[in-house]
């Protein structure tokens, strides 16, 4: 009866294979995660060139280095190196360890004869061998390390081999089971050295298993699960998202949003313990002091001041004070406070993005616009409603106020750069203003900022002439990146304003997928163009600008079509020399048409979340026609009557009772007035003309 025999790897020939496999399973995927291209926009996106060092540049740089250390993957890198070292050691052991291969029982090899030998030759050979190796006749040779036992064993082995080839019963066992003694025990090898489970080491093995399976594995799984459950898809804590939800109100202003952001739980990690109260009085005295261009130095309104003072002392109150100090670029004259004000800005920016998502769920337009405005302010370190000129290097509140003069409204970057060179120079350079070098630096930065200038916006349905109720409408926005102060801007080519429908069989284009090249290689649409990183010298992280396009209903103050976000474009924005290309760019957003026919007037918002005063706002009208009108047009486009001189024409004449050659009866046209065959809706809300085109040159903010 056979049995199962468990044998350990006493020679250590299989143990390295086991360890190598386990190490490879962990090390190879981890190596890919360490070496894969960085998703950080700063790794690939171009940068705006400027010779400007902001105040407290050392603190800003220290915060950037601190963030990079968090993202450095140091622990994973050490684990990868250790994994490859273990794999290399195991590979070395595999190459130098001697192999012991299991021998298959072969009686011919034992007797030392050919497998083609006859029975007579086998008997003759065995007789000679038995006489030679019989224990009674042979004497052990000490020089060959022979003993009586080894010689006896060998004699028994050749005798068994002889019987295997001559005895019928023994031969049947050999043929059936591969061994003359019949079925052998089943051996299972364990790729662990035997010393691990012998000599009293078993308890240590059990201890290792208990630690791995009972402690380490639950800890890792629990940490992963808890980490995924406590963070939202916007990369903020669930606790912070709940706090922002409770802070939401219908008519929130920018100041209200900033106050709401201070409730984030993330700030507690950097203002824990005594840090929550340290320097709070000095901080508030600085931001509540009299300002230059604003009533308070931090840029707070009286309502914002009340919101601050209504808070109890602690982490949230200090966080709100630091945010206003950062936005107002207030000098706190204390290193830890100045460092903290730069550290809270990226956290607040992430919370602002999450608040935008919450506001979109409620659907009110005002809080959404306020949250986008706060994001712009956080990136540029500018208080809400402050002058957009503060985005340029070297321009302070005093200089911006001097440039703008006594106007009640602030001057945008576009308006400033649109001034003649002499007038702009006179307003900017002088005693108490900019030097000529600082002026050139500021102008150089302004001419690199990617301002998206809308040229045309319209609605369409792919492959259709009219927009009908419930159809899938595409909002198409055409425009060019025209940096403020650009010179020699070429005229717009009217053909660039058209949006040609793809072929009916081009599913990739219709569905927005990247088309494949004819050779089946790389996709044509794989390469996209990144705009320059946001010029934000006071912000401690790299940030890639985003453009958000959405529609709102101005009468109800609600979001009609939620934002579509664009971060990359199909055509070059700047050439290799940093000069603008003025290529026509296209933004497309799809949504479902209203269920009823009529004219719907929306407000189109195009918002850049990285720069103040670069937004576009215009009215656009969606004309939805009755489905019957589209059906009537389709009937007009039916196949024409066959020619009378063709076979089809003769058959048609017989069917209709007419004569071949007689003109076909005229078809009645529908009573409805013939409308434009263009598939686009007018942004001005006028009746559809023959070419119902969108005019976006009017009612545009920020031009």
């Amino acid at each position: 009866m056979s049995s199962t025999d468990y044998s350990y790897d006493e020679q250590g020939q299989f143990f390295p294979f086991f360890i190598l496999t386990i190490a490879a399973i962990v090390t190879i995927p981890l190596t890919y995660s360490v070496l894969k291209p960085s998703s950080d926009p700063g790794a690939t996106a171009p940068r705006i060139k400027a010779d400007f060092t902001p105040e407290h540049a050392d603190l800003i740089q220290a915060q950037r280095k601190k963030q990079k250390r968090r993202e450095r993957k140091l622990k994973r890198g050490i684990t990868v190196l250790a994994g490859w070292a273990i794999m290399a050691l195991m590979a070395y052991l595999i190459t130098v360890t001697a192999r012991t291969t299991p021998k298959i029982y072969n009686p011919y090899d034992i007797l030392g004869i050919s497998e083609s030998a006859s029975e007579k030759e086998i008997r003759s050979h065995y007789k000679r061998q038995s006489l030679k190796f019989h224990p009674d006749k042979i004497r052990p040779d000490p020089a060959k390390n022979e003993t009586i036992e080894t010689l006896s064993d060998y004699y028994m082995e050749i005798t068994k081999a002889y019987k295997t080839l001559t005895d019928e019963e023994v031969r049947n066992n050999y043929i059936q089971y591969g061994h003359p003694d019949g079925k052998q025990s089943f051996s299972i090898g364990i790729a662990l050295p035997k010393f691990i489970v012998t000599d009293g080491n078993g308890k240590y093995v059990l201890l290792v298993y208990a630690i791995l399976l009972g402690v380490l594995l639950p800890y890792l799984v629990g940490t992963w699960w808890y980490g995924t459950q406590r963070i939202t898809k916007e990369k903020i804590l669930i606790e912070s998202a709940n706090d922002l939800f409770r802070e939401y109100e219908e008519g929130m202003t920018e100041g209200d949003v900033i106050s709401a952001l201070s409730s984030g739980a993330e700030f507690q990690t950097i203002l824990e313990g005594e840090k929550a109260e340290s320097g709070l009085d000095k901080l508030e005295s600085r931001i509540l002091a009299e300002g230059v261009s604003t009533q308070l130095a931090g840029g707070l309104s009286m309502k914002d001041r009340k919101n601050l003072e209504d808070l109890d002392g602690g982490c949230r109150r200090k966080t709100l004070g630091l945010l206003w100090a950062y936005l107002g670029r207030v000098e706190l004259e204390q290193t830890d406070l100045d460092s903290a004000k730069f550290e809270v800005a990226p956290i607040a920016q992430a919370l602002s993005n999450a608040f935008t998502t919450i506001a979109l769920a409620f659907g009110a337009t005002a809080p959404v616009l306020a949250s986008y405005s706060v994001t712009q302010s956080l990136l540029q370190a500018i208080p809400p409603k402050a002058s957009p000129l503060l985005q340029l290097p070297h321009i302070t509140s005093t200089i911006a106020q001097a440039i703008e003069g006594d106007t009640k409204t602030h001057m945008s970057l576009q308006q400033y750069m649109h001034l003649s060179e002499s007038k702009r120079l006179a307003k900017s350079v002088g005693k108490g203003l900019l030097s000529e070098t600082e002026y050139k630096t500021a102008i150089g930065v302004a001419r690199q900022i990617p301002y998206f200038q809308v040229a045309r916006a319209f609605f369409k349905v792919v492959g259709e002439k009219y927009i009908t109720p419930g159809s899938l409408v595409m909002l198409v926005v055409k425009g060019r990146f025209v940096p403020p102060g650009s010179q020699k801007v070429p005229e717009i080519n009217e053909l660039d304003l058209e949006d040609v429908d793809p072929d009916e069989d081009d599913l990739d284009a219709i569905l927005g997928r990247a088309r494949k090249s004819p050779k089946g290689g790389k996709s044509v649409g794989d390469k996209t163009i990144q705009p320059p990183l946001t010029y934000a010298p006071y912000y401690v992280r790299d940030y890639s600008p985003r453009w958000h396009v959405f529609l709102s209903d101005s009468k109800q103050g609600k979001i009609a079509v939620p934002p579509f976000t664009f971060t990359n474009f199909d055509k070059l924005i700047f050439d290799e020399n940093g000069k603008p290309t003025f290529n026509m760019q296209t933004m497309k957003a799809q949504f479902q048409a209203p269920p009823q026919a009529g004219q719907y007037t929306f407000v189109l918002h195009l918002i850049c979340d990285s720069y103040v005063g670069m937004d576009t706002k215009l009215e656009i009208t969606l004309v939805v026609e009755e489905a019957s009108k589209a059906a009537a047009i389709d009937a007009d486009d039916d196949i024409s009557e066959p020619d009378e001189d063709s076979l089809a024409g003769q058959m048609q004449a017989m069917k209709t009772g007419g004569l071949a050659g007689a003109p076909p009866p005229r078809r009645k046209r529908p009573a409805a007035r013939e409308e434009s065959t263009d598939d686009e809706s007018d942004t001005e809300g006028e009746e559809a003309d023959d070419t119902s085109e969108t005019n976006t040159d009017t009612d545009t903010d920020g031009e």
Side-chain angles (χ1 to χ4, degrees):
M1 189 175 202
S2 65
S3 62
T4 303
D5 179 28
Y6 293 92
S7 61
Y8 291 90
D9 185 20
E10 297 184 17
Q11 290 80 23
Q13 58 178 333
F14 298 119
F15 179 64
F17 288 96
F18 173 74
I19 299 298
L20 177 64
T21 302
I22 298 299
I25 291 174
V26 176
T27 304
I28 293 177
L30 203 59
T31 302
Y32 172 75
S33 70
V34 172
L35 298 181
K36 70 178 181 180
S38 174
S39 58
D40 181 14
T44 56
R47 296 177 180 270
I48 291 178
K49 299 176 182 178
D51 184 15
F52 171 68
T53 302
E55 191 176 7
H56 296 301
D58 55 336
L59 298 179
I60 297 173
Q61 191 63 28
Q63 288 295 331
R64 289 179 176 172
K65 290 181 178 179
K66 183 178 179 181
Q67 178 62 25
K68 288 181 179 179
R69 283 196 298 269
R70 293 174 182 171
E71 301 172 351
R72 192 168 289 171
K73 311 175 184 177
L74 183 60
K75 294 181 180 178
R76 277 183 287 174
I78 295 174
T79 306
V80 166
L81 292 177
W84 282 108
I86 293 173
M87 291 171 63
L89 177 61
M90 294 302 107
Y92 171 75
L93 292 178
I94 291 172
T95 57
V96 300
T97 302
R99 305 284 190 276
T100 56
T101 57
K103 296 180 65 175
I104 299 175
Y105 187 83
N106 190 333
Y108 295 99
D109 290 342
I110 295 172
L111 290 172
I113 60 175
S114 172
E115 294 185 4
S116 61
S118 64
E119 186 173 349
K120 182 179 180 180
E121 292 173 338
I122 294 173
R123 291 180 184 275
S124 175
H125 181 77
Y126 171 70
K127 187 175 181 180
R128 291 193 301 270
Q129 292 291 96
S130 63
L131 291 174
K132 180 179 179 181
F133 293 103
H134 194 280
D136 295 337
K137 296 183 179 181
I138 192 171
R139 293 290 180 267
D141 185 359
K144 297 181 180 180
N145 293 326
E146 292 178 346
T147 63
I148 295 296
E149 289 78 10
T150 58
L151 294 175
S152 297
D153 291 341
Y154 183 71
Y155 179 75
M156 293 176 61
E157 191 174 356
I158 61 175
T159 302
K160 184 184 290 187
Y162 169 70
K163 289 183 178 181
T164 301
L165 299 177
T166 57
D167 187 279
E168 184 176 353
E169 182 179 353
V170 178
R171 187 178 182 86
N172 287 336
N173 284 338
Y174 171 68
I175 294 173
Q176 185 174 359
Y177 301 109
H179 199 276
D181 295 335
K183 192 173 183 179
Q184 300 297 295
S185 62
F186 182 74
S187 177
I188 298 177
I190 301 176
L192 291 175
K194 193 174 181 178
F195 72 87
I196 292 182
V197 291
T198 57
D199 300 330
N201 294 330
K203 56 186 177 183
Y204 300 111
V205 175
L206 292 177
L207 179 62
V208 171
Y209 274 113
I211 294 174
L212 289 177
L213 301 179
V215 178
L216 185 60
L217 183 61
Y219 171 76
L220 293 176
V221 173
T223 302
W224 168 79
W225 176 255
Y226 180 69
T228 57
Q229 294 301 307
R230 66 194 294 262
I231 297 179
T232 68
K233 64 179 182 179
E234 288 82 19
K235 306 300 182 183
I236 70 166
L237 297 174
I238 293 289
E239 181 183 354
S240 299
N242 293 335
D243 292 337
L244 292 176
F245 181 83
R246 287 191 289 267
E247 293 286 335
Y248 176 85
E249 294 179 2
E250 190 79 11
M252 297 183 74
T253 62
E254 289 88 345
D256 296 329
V257 174
I258 294 171
S259 179
L261 298 183
S262 65
S263 65
E266 288 84 350
F267 296 111
Q268 297 175 6
T269 59
I270 62 174
L271 296 177
E272 58 184 353
E274 297 180 355
K275 293 181 180 180
E277 298 287 348
S278 175
L280 181 58
D281 292 337
K282 183 175 184 179
L283 170 64
E284 292 186 358
S285 65
R286 292 288 181 179
I287 63 175
L288 298 179
E290 184 178 354
V292 177
S293 58
T294 56
Q295 191 170 2
L296 300 176
L300 299 79
S301 65
M302 290 297 103
K303 180 182 178 182
D304 299 330
R305 177 174 183 169
K306 185 177 184 302
N307 290 338
L308 175 64
E309 294 174 344
D310 287 345
L311 295 174
D312 295 330
C315 177
R316 182 171 181 182
R317 181 160 180 167
K318 185 172 182 179
T319 298
L320 186 55
L322 289 172
L323 286 175
W324 284 114
Y326 168 78
L327 294 172
R329 303 179 187 176
V330 178
E331 174 57 49
L332 300 178
E333 297 182 352
Q334 190 171 324
T335 303
D336 59 335
L337 290 178
D338 283 320
S339 179
K341 78 179 181 183
F342 294 117
E343 190 173 3
V344 298
I347 301 175
Q349 189 272 332
L351 293 170
S352 180
N353 289 341
F355 184 81
T356 303
T357 304
I358 295 173
L360 286 170
F362 284 95
T365 306
V368 174
L369 294 176
S371 63
Y372 281 135
S373 177
V374 168
T375 299
Q376 296 170 349
S377 296
L378 288 170
L379 290 170
Q380 295 298 329
I382 297 176
K385 311 299 183 183
S387 173
L389 298 182
L390 294 174
Q391 299 173 104
L392 299 180
H394 301 295
I395 293 185
T396 62
S397 298
T398 304
I399 297 175
Q401 188 175 25
I403 293 174
E404 292 173 344
D406 297 331
T407 58
K408 296 182 179 180
T409 58
H410 292 300
M411 181 183 294
S412 67
L413 283 181
Q414 299 90 305
Q415 293 171 334
Y416 175 66
M417 296 300 294
H418 191 66
L419 297 174
S420 64
E421 179 66 24
S422 58
K423 188 173 182 180
R424 186 171 63 239
L425 191 64
K427 283 178 170 286
S428 307
V429 178
K431 186 178 180 180
L433 301 175
L434 300 176
S435 65
E436 291 189 4
T437 302
E438 293 173 339
Y439 171 76
K440 290 180 180 179
T441 301
I443 297 302
V445 169
R447 287 176 174 163
Q448 297 177 73
I449 294 177
Y451 167 55
F452 190 87
Q453 191 175 75
V454 176
R456 189 184 183 202
F458 56 92
F459 299 103
K460 63 179 289 185
V461 174
V462 176
E464 300 293 337
K465 296 182 178 180
Y466 288 95
I467 298 174
T468 55
S471 59
L472 190 61
V473 180
M474 181 177 291
L475 169 63
V476 182
V477 179
K478 295 275 188 176
R480 303 183 297 178
F481 283 101
V482 183
S486 296
Q487 300 174 350
K488 299 180 180 179
V489 180
E491 294 292 331
I492 295 176
N493 187 344
E494 295 298 326
L495 295 178
D496 291 338
L497 298 179
E498 301 296 329
D499 189 67
V500 181
D501 287 341
D503 296 333
E504 293 183 0
D505 58 348
D506 191 355
L507 293 179
D508 288 337
I510 293 175
L511 298 177
R513 298 191 301 237
R515 287 178 288 181
K516 300 293 182 181
S517 62
K519 296 182 180 180
K522 298 180 179 178
S523 79
V524 176
D526 276 348
K527 186 177 181 181
T528 56
I529 305 301
Q530 289 181 281
L533 293 176
T534 302
Y535 179 74
Y538 297 94
Y539 193 70
V540 298
R541 297 184 188 175
D542 291 330
Y543 189 84
S544 183
R546 296 167 173 83
W547 284 262
H548 306 277
V549 177
F550 63 95
L551 300 177
S552 67
D553 186 339
S554 58
K555 295 180 180 178
Q556 299 182 2
K558 297 289 185 180
I559 300 292
V561 176
F564 288 79
T565 303
F566 300 87
T567 57
N568 299 317
F569 298 88
D570 295 330
K571 298 178 182 178
L572 283 174
I573 301 174
F574 294 92
D575 60 19
E576 296 178 354
N577 299 321
K579 301 294 182 63
T581 60
F582 306 112
N583 287 324
M584 186 63 66
Q585 309 284 355
T586 303
M587 300 181 182
K588 293 183 178 181
Q590 285 187 328
F591 62 95
Q592 191 171 16
Q596 303 293 333
Q599 293 189 2
Y600 298 86
T601 300
F602 300 106
V603 176
L604 170 66
H605 298 269
L606 175 61
I607 294 178
C608 177
D609 68 353
S610 299
Y611 297 101
V612 178
M614 299 287 182
D615 304 332
T616 299
K617 177 181 176 182
L618 56 91
E619 284 193 351
I620 183 170
T621 301
L622 171 64
V623 179
V624 181
E625 302 286 359
E626 295 285 355
S628 58
K629 181 172 183 178
I633 296 300
D634 289 340
D636 285 346
D637 292 340
D638 282 345
I639 299 175
S640 60
E641 299 291 344
D643 296 334
E644 65 276 2
D645 56 350
S646 65
L647 179 60
Q650 297 293 335
M651 295 179 66
Q652 177 69 14
M654 293 173 64
K655 289 179 181 179
T656 57
L659 298 174
R666 294 180 61 86
R667 301 169 81 186
K668 274 193 171 183
R669 299 190 65 82
R673 177 177 64 88
E674 180 71 11
E675 294 284 339
S676 163
T677 60
D678 196 357
D679 55 357
E680 298 154 5
S681 297
D682 190 3
T683 59
E684 297 294 336
E686 300 174 356
E687 289 294 325
D689 299 330
D690 293 338
T691 59
S692 175
E693 295 187 356
T694 303
N695 179 9
T696 59
D697 293 334
T698 59
D699 297 330
T700 303
D701 294 341
E703 301 238 2

